[in-house]
Every structure is written in structure tokens, then in C-alpha cells.
Amino acid sequence: MNVHEYQAKGLLKSFQVPVPEGGLATTPAEARAVAERLGPGKYVVKAQIHAGGRGKGGGVKVVDSPQAAAEAAEQIIGMTLVTHQTGAAGKLVRKVWVEKATDIARELYLAVVLDRVAQRLAVMASPSGGMDIEEVAEKHPELIFTTHVEPGQALWPFQARKLLFGCGLTAAQVNAGTALVQNLVRLAWEKEATLVEINPLAVTGEGTLVALDGKINFDDSALKRHPEIAELEDPEETDPLERQAVKQGLNYIRLGGNVGTMVNGAGLAMATMDVIKMAGAEPANFLDVGGGASEEMVTKGFEVILSDPNVEAILINIFGGILRCDTLAAGVVAAAKKVKLSVPLVVRLEGTNVEAGREILAQSGLDFEVAGSMKEAAEKIAQVVAAAQAR
Ligand code: GDP
Ligand code: MN
């Protein structure tokens, strides 16, 4: 799960990581009021969406009066911000974070990230933080320093010092920064985050360190242990179809293509997406209906797939194990009748009760193609969408 910058900064603050003072606003008048409360000086007005790259997209503005903060909020709230992380459709901005502007001398990069290969948290730091960190990673990987944390333990001070001296900080800054980095690791560990990123970590004109941006991802599977984190979820930031699917207990992720997929088992679902791509088509979604899916779950899954207007054909790939093929077939028939199936269907069924399943489909009067192997299924679906597009 992702949270907004303002929520991340709240957490950073509670872990003693210095952040600028600020407040949330959903209207220009509120933005002005926040700026007035912060006192005289400059302010930064920042779009709150679940995506980075806001600065380059026009979602971060530095202004010098409460009136100008209101004007910036007027421009930003309601805009559809397109950044390299939002996709072409962009994201609608509903709120802004207004904070006291910082006098920036240098921008560093600092992050704690779950390194799945090392099975540990990794701490990464770079003297070249700011808006082009992706480019630094690509062209100057030697400017990114990494160290790993022993699971459940604090980061050793020497590890933090090594990173921070690498960032070119003075001895005094390294001392302050050591506590900061250790606190960041503690936050990641205690809240079970998979990423805690500060970019930029600013060195101010006075030489202090302050987190100017905050991005935190949490492990969804750990949210049950952290109700105070689960509460931070912004339903408006999740895809409405994904939200609907989660409510139905389905494992559904929307993708960009036009081939809807219904599969049982996450591994088979991934493999199905691969073969679809290899056949030259693009999956519209990942959907694992699960091993023990009921007819009702299959119906709901089908409804979710068909609610995506991009779907031009559906591939059902089921290996009947715990989920029997006849249950799946009954669910598909029920759903197809309920939602008036309007796109071509290719079905590949194997496994438990496959004959009964095929019989149910054959008797249903539904129009669909049967495929014997996964490869054949993918090729058929690719032909079907190509034909649909040629029409
Ligand atoms: P992102 O583009 O979504 O990562 O948003 P950031 O919060 O990182 O802001 C983008 C850029 O805006 C930063 O890299 C800074 O250069 C600039 N910025 C952010 N806050 C301040 C501030 O308080 N003062 C000044 N002068 N610039 C800021
Ligand atoms: Mn940033």
C-alpha cells in the first residue's frame, strides 16, 4: 500500500526525522490559511497524488505569500497531473500539502528498501538526489551507496557514517544524519514498509538536514498488524475495478491491454500473461480466482473483467485442482448470461472434472472457442483481438 507524501511526512516526524512544518488543503482558501498559520516567508504548494515526478509535471510550486499559495493551489487542485509514474492518463489532484519552503544548499537521496534477494533491508544514499535520481542510477551507479541491515537490528552507526561521508557531508552533519538514517531503518522495520524514500533529503543553507519529500510503501500482507497504517489508505487512489475486486476477495490487477484473463493460481496467471504477450497480444488484467473459488466468485470475477471497457476478448485458462472445472464452467455460464457477454471467449480447461466442465459449456449456448494447450489458447486469443481490431 502506498500513502501520500503528507502522511509519509507525518510518520517520518513521529520517528524523529526532521520535516518542514505544513498543512493539508483541499481548497485555495485552505491553502492560504495554512500559509498564514505557518508565518511569514516562502511556501511550497505540493500536489498530493500517489506518484512521484510531480516537480517536473508542474505539481510543486514555490511561492512567496499566502495569496500566492492560494493561487498555486487553485492551479494545482483539479489538475490531472501526468508524470513518468502516473501513466499517460495522469492522476487527478484532490489536495495539496502546503509547507514552509526550505533554503536548499544540496539535494541528497536516502532510502530504505526491502532487498528481496538479500532478504534484508537495504539502505541507499546518494549525493546526487533530487528529480533525476533515475538517471543517476542509470548513468552513475557509483554515486549510489548501499549497505544492508541485519534483520530486526538497528543499523550500526559506522554503516550510516560510511553512507553519509560518501554523500560529502561534514562531520557535524554526519552525526545528525546518523540518527536520521537509523530512525528511518527503525520506521521501515517497525511498520513493515517495503520502501521508505526521502528524495530529496535537503542540506539547508544553515547546514541542517531535512526531508523535503517522503514516499513510503507498506507490505499489504502486514497491514493487519498495523491498523494505524491501514487507516491511511486513500480509496480514491486505487483503481475502482481493483477496489471492487478486492471487496469480492479476488486477486485482480488491472493492466493496459485488451485481453481479459481469468486464471486459477497466481503462477498460472503469470504464465498466461506471458504466453499472451508471446503471441503478440496484451493482457488487460491479472486475475487469480484462487484455488477454492466458488461459482459465485467466478461470476464476480467475470463481472469485474467485463467492467473494463478496454477488454475486447477473454481468455479463461483453468487447471482444475481444488477448483473443479465444472464449478468454473457453471460460474462462467451464469456470469455470461447475467452480464450479456459481448466479447469473444477462448477457453482452455484441464484437470479435475474437465469433461463435466466442457459439457456445461457446450450445452450453454454460449459462443466460445476451445483451446487444447496454453500455446494454442494464446494464439487463438491473439487472432481474435487482431480480427476485432481489423473490423
Ligand atoms: P517529486 O518531483 O514528486 O519527487 O516532488 P518533490 O517533493 O521531490 O519536489 C520536487 C522538487 O521541488 C525538489 O527536488 C526540490 O528541488 C523542489 N522543492 C521541494 N521543496 C522545496 C522547498 O522547500 N524549497 C525549494 N526551493 N524547492 C523545493
Ligand atoms: Mn521527490
Side-chain angles (χ1 to χ4, degrees):
M1 189 187 90
N2 252 330
V3 295
H4 287 293
E5 175 197 2
Y6 76 92
Q7 297 166 317
K9 281 181 166 163
L11 274 162
L12 288 170
K13 192 174 172 184
S14 69
F15 277 77
Q16 288 81 49
V17 174
V19 293
E21 249 189 284
L24 196 65
T26 53
T27 64
E30 281 173 22
R32 181 204 311 268
V34 171
E36 279 166 355
R37 176 166 63 73
L38 292 173
K42 289 191 177 184
Y43 314 94
V44 195
V45 181
K46 310 181 76 174
Q48 297 299 293
I49 53 168
H50 282 190
R54 296 162 303 165
K56 284 187 177 168
V60 176
K61 290 197 167 26
V62 181
V63 297
D64 51 17
S65 70
Q67 170 59 23
E71 284 162 17
E74 172 89 54
Q75 278 176 26
I76 295 174
I77 296 170
M79 84 189 277
T80 300
L81 197 51
V82 180
T83 80
H84 65 277
Q85 288 186 5
T86 60
K91 288 209 155 184
L92 177 65
V93 183
R94 294 182 169 88
K95 44 200 170 206
V96 290
W97 174 248
V98 182
E99 67 182 19
K100 272 226 124 133
T102 302
D103 170 22
I104 306 176
R106 287 181 53 208
E107 298 193 342
L108 314 179
Y109 176 90
L110 181 63
V112 179
V113 55
L114 176 64
D115 181 340
R116 291 171 200 276
V117 175
Q119 303 180 4
R120 278 160 176 68
L121 292 173
V123 189
M124 301 167 75
S126 174
S128 302
M131 295 196 270
D132 293 310
I133 190 68
E134 284 88 355
E135 208 180 307
V136 175
E138 207 175 288
K139 295 189 180 146
H140 295 284
E142 76 282 1
L143 288 180
I144 297 179
F145 308 107
T146 305
T147 190
H148 286 92
V149 193
E150 283 304 308
Q153 305 202 6
L155 187 75
W156 287 100
F158 82 86
Q159 292 180 286
R161 283 198 295 268
K162 214 166 157 185
L163 292 178
L164 295 165
F165 276 119
C167 288
L169 297 184
T170 65
Q173 288 164 346
V174 167
N175 281 340
T178 297
L180 191 159
V181 179
Q182 287 181 310
N183 287 332
L184 209 63
V185 168
R186 203 161 50 82
L187 193 173
W189 178 263
E190 286 180 15
K191 302 295 180 185
E192 298 185 76
T194 52
L195 172 73
V196 182
E197 184 188 69
I198 301 177
N199 186 30
L201 173 68
V203 180
T204 68
E206 292 158 0
T208 59
L209 296 173
V210 48
L212 290 196
D213 192 5
K215 178 184 167 109
I216 308 185
N217 289 345
F218 296 94
D219 181 348
D220 289 341
S221 306
L223 286 176
K224 282 200 190 81
R225 283 191 285 269
H226 307 284
E228 77 291 355
I229 300 293
E231 230 168 57
L232 302 179
E233 185 183 11
D234 181 348
E236 285 176 323
E237 287 286 332
T238 28
D239 183 287
L241 277 182
E242 288 186 6
R243 221 183 319 151
Q244 187 191 334
V246 167
K247 259 193 236 147
Q248 316 276 20
L250 294 164
N251 214 339
Y252 170 91
I253 293 162
R254 198 169 176 183
L255 304 164
N258 54 6
V259 177
T261 66
M262 163 131 62
V263 189
N264 66 323
L268 188 60
M270 304 270 263
T272 304
M273 297 193 303
D274 284 350
V275 289
I276 289 172
K277 276 183 168 278
M278 281 156 71
E282 288 291 329
N285 66 277
F286 168 99
L287 172 59
D288 167 17
V289 288
S294 60
E295 183 181 321
E296 197 194 350
M297 292 276 279
V298 172
T299 311
K300 284 174 177 163
F302 219 70
E303 281 174 9
V304 169
I305 295 176
L306 283 169
S307 308
D308 177 352
N310 293 336
V311 167
E312 289 178 22
I314 297 177
L315 173 58
I316 298 180
N317 186 15
I318 299 292
F319 189 84
I322 302 169
L323 170 61
R324 300 177 343 232
C325 292
D326 52 334
T327 304
L328 180 275
V332 168
V333 172
K337 290 195 169 139
K338 195 168 157 198
V339 298
K340 292 224 172 58
L341 179 65
S342 53
V343 296
L345 190 62
V346 174
V347 183
R348 183 234 173 196
L349 281 184
E350 259 334 316
T352 310
N353 293 359
V354 64
E355 294 306 332
R358 289 193 181 137
E359 188 61 24
I360 290 170
L361 288 174
Q363 300 295 324
S364 67
L366 280 181
D367 188 16
F368 65 93
E369 286 193 66
V370 176
S373 68
M374 269 178 78
K375 186 159 179 278
E376 191 190 336
E379 280 161 4
K380 278 196 168 155
I381 204 81
Q383 280 165 15
V384 165
V385 288
Q389 274 171 355
R391 257 188 268 122

